[in-house]
Each structure stands twice: as C-alpha cells, then as structure tokens.
Amino acid sequence: MAQQGAAGVATTVAESVQYQGRKASRQGSEQRRQDILDAAMRIVVREGVRGVRHRAVAAEAGVPLSATTYYFKDIEDLLTDTFAQYVERSAAYMAKLWEHTEVLLRQLLAQGDHSPQCRARLADEVAKMMADYVQRQLHNRRDFLMAEQAFRQEALLCPRLAELVKLHEQILLRGAGQMLQVVGSRQPQQDALVLTAIIEQMEYQGLLDGSRADAQAQMLAILTRYLHLVLAAV
C-alpha cells in the first residue's frame, strides 16, 4: 500500500474487506441481509455497540428474529460485518475525495514557485482543505463518526474488529501521507501520523462539543500552524 497514491490505497482497502457472516444466495435475501446491517448501524449510532442484540436488530430491521441468526451466528459476526461495510463505503468515499484533492494540490503547485511566500500560501490552502474536511465530516457524516468511535472502542476487546479498525486507519493515514508528499513534506509519513492524530482529535472533540462558535476558527488556526511547520513556510 505504501507505494500507491492516496486514491489507490482507499480503493485497495475497499476491495480487501472480508465479510464474516453467511452470504446471501438470492437477490431478495441480499436485501434482507442489507436491511439487517443497516439496522445494526443505526443502533450503534443511537446506543453504541452494546445495544446490538439479535432481537433488537430484528425489530429495527423489521425482519423475523430467525433472519438475523441465519445470516450471523453471533453478535461478533454481526458487528464485524456492520463495521466491514462501513469501512468499505468509507474507502470508496475517500478514494474520490483524495483523487479530487490531489488534482487541486497539483494545480496550486503549478501556479507558484518555491519561494517562502508561495510555500506559505500553499500551507494556508492545505490547512483550509483539512479544516473544511473536518467540518464536512462533523456536519454531513456525524452519525458515521459516532459509529466509528463506538467501533474503535469495541475493537480494544475484539481482535477481528481491531483488524478492520487498522485497515480503516490506513485510508486517512496513507491519503494524508500522499498529500503531504505532493506538497513537499520532507518526512510525509511521519508528518501524516501527526496530521491524522490532529484530525481524529478534532473530530472527537467536535462530537463532544457540538457546534461551538469558535471551533472552526480554532481548528483552522491549529492546522495552519502545523502545515506551516511541516512545509517550513515560517
């Protein structure tokens, strides 16, 4: 994965996701299985993973209890496949986002030179992109972030979920690394580790605090300072 572009890494993640539960044999049964996974995700968002039980999921999905136990022999299988689907969908979403972002970054680079002033403007633009990304996550994908936090916590106790969490982390980490490499970071992978940690903390804090009036400005200021340091623009 390390040698792929950001969009390529996300696509590889999407293609590598493995499901644990019983596969559907007919189109109608595939829809029922999908309804069960979607219902489980809604429960995770509302109640956390501890709210996911066969009976609760069956009621949420509007299917017989026997349907959930047919496709998923236990709750661990159900949780693992629910998060696997989340990872798969997130990877597909991020592949398109990284591809678009890389095009924009290369356009910005082509418009400038390597002067300190141009590097400073580039750092400002990248910081704005990252701040906008976090804000979109909090405003448009809040439920998914809530579920992600719940699964990350459960992964501490479930090895199969832990593997999926690690796979999911590669999407943001490798994408950030590729982006930083494009803009000229001297240590893109190390810098990406810090950048993704900052982003994940901002997402978590945003979920805790809700819509604070000063949050967006503070977020942009932190990211701007970090990107200036990374690009040696100050």
Side-chain angles (χ1 to χ4, degrees):
M1 278 189 192
Q3 296 179 348
Q4 290 180 283
V9 169
T11 300
T12 298
V13 169
E15 292 172 349
S16 66
V17 169
Q18 299 292 319
Y19 289 93
Q20 303 297 319
R22 187 187 298 236
K23 305 299 185 292
S25 57
R26 300 185 307 276
Q27 184 174 356
S29 59
E30 176 57 36
Q31 183 59 55
R32 173 166 285 189
R33 185 178 185 278
Q34 184 63 59
D35 290 343
I36 292 169
L37 290 175
D38 290 342
M41 178 60 82
R42 291 194 297 272
I43 292 174
V44 170
V45 171
R46 291 198 312 264
E47 306 173 31
V49 295
R50 298 304 176 186
V52 177
R53 295 290 181 266
H54 280 299
R55 192 173 298 278
V57 172
E60 178 77 20
V63 302
L65 177 60
S66 58
T68 64
T69 55
Y70 173 79
Y71 290 111
F72 307 99
K73 68 179 186 296
D74 54 32
I75 293 300
E76 185 173 314
D77 269 0
L78 178 52
L79 286 173
T80 300
D81 277 14
T82 300
F83 189 58
Q85 179 172 264
Y86 172 80
V87 173
E88 187 177 45
R89 290 177 173 177
S90 293
Y93 168 80
M94 291 300 291
K96 294 179 182 178
L97 179 63
W98 285 128
E99 186 175 13
H100 177 67
T101 300
E102 189 166 336
V103 170
L104 291 178
L105 290 175
R106 293 192 183 280
Q107 289 173 348
L108 287 172
L109 287 168
Q111 294 168 5
D113 53 36
H114 295 291
S115 67
Q117 294 81 5
C118 283
R119 300 290 289 169
R121 286 196 295 271
L122 181 62
D124 289 342
E125 290 299 324
V126 176
K128 289 177 184 177
M129 287 181 183
M130 293 294 96
D132 287 345
Y133 165 77
V134 176
Q135 287 297 317
R136 287 196 303 272
Q137 289 285 93
L138 290 169
H139 291 158
N140 302 333
R141 304 183 79 245
R142 184 180 182 84
D143 284 355
F144 295 108
L145 289 183
M146 290 288 290
E148 185 180 318
Q149 292 294 336
F151 281 116
R152 287 167 68 93
Q153 182 67 27
E154 185 66 16
L156 297 174
L157 305 173
C158 178
R160 283 194 290 169
L161 272 179
E163 290 304 311
L164 281 169
V165 167
K166 293 174 186 176
L167 194 62
H168 182 258
E169 287 175 344
Q170 291 301 309
I171 306 170
L172 184 59
L173 178 61
R174 297 299 185 186
Q178 174 69 11
M179 178 193 71
L180 291 170
Q181 184 175 29
V182 168
V183 298
S185 165
R186 294 182 179 89
Q187 297 289 337
Q189 297 310 316
Q190 293 180 15
D191 292 337
L193 284 169
V194 179
L195 179 58
T196 54
I198 292 171
I199 290 173
E200 288 171 356
Q201 175 59 27
M202 287 177 170
E203 290 175 343
Y204 181 73
Q205 201 64 46
L207 292 173
L208 279 179
D209 295 342
S211 301
R212 278 180 34 221
D214 62 335
Q216 190 167 1
Q218 183 182 47
M219 188 182 301
L220 179 58
I222 292 170
L223 288 166
T224 299
R225 174 166 174 74
Y226 179 67
L227 267 302
H228 274 258
L229 292 171
V230 166
L231 300 183
V234 292

